[in-house]
C-alpha cells in the first residue's frame, strides 16, 4: 500500500495510528476515492499477475521434485 495513493497506512499495534488512518479514509472525496480505487486495481494488476504467480509456484515445485533422489 502506498499511503494516500492506493490506501492508507497505519503503524502495527498502534490504536491511535489506526484511528487516524480511518479518519483519513472517511474524509476523502468521491473523486479521491475513485482515483485511489483505480490506483489500487492498477497496482494489483501490475504486481500480482496470476500467470506469474503460477510460474513461480511451479518453479518451486519443480525444484523440490528434482531434488528428490
Amino acid at each position: 500500500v502506498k499511503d494516500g495513493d492506493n490506501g492508507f497506512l497505519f503503524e502495527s499495534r498502534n490504536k491511535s495510528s489506526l484511528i487516524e488512518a480511518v479518519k483519513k479514509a472517511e474524509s476523502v472525496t468521491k473523486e479521491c476515492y475513485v482515483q485511489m480505487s483505480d490506483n489500487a486495481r492498477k497496482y494489483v494488476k501490475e504486481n500480482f499477475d496470476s500467470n506469474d504467480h503460477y510460474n513461480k509456484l511451479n518453479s518451486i515445485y519443480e525444484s523440490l521434485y528434482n531434488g528428490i533422489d
Side-chain angles (χ1 to χ4, degrees), residues 28-67:
V28 298
T29 64
K30 173 83 171 167
E31 293 80 16
C32 182
Y33 173 80
V34 169
Q35 184 62 53
M36 289 179 77
S37 297
D38 289 344
N39 292 344
R41 276 190 288 283
K42 180 180 176 187
Y43 182 82
V44 169
K45 187 175 182 180
E46 291 173 353
N47 294 284
F48 299 100
D49 180 67
S50 60
N51 288 325
D52 287 343
H53 177 72
Y54 169 79
N55 290 333
K56 289 176 188 175
L57 191 57
N58 194 46
S59 178
I60 292 169
Y61 289 149
E62 284 179 358
S63 68
L64 291 172
Y65 178 77
N66 292 331

Side-chain angles (χ1 to χ4, degrees), residues 14-27:
N14 184 325
K15 183 179 174 181
S16 59
S17 179
L18 173 60
I19 290 169
E20 286 301 312
V22 170
K23 285 179 181 179
K24 285 183 195 177
E26 289 177 332
S27 69

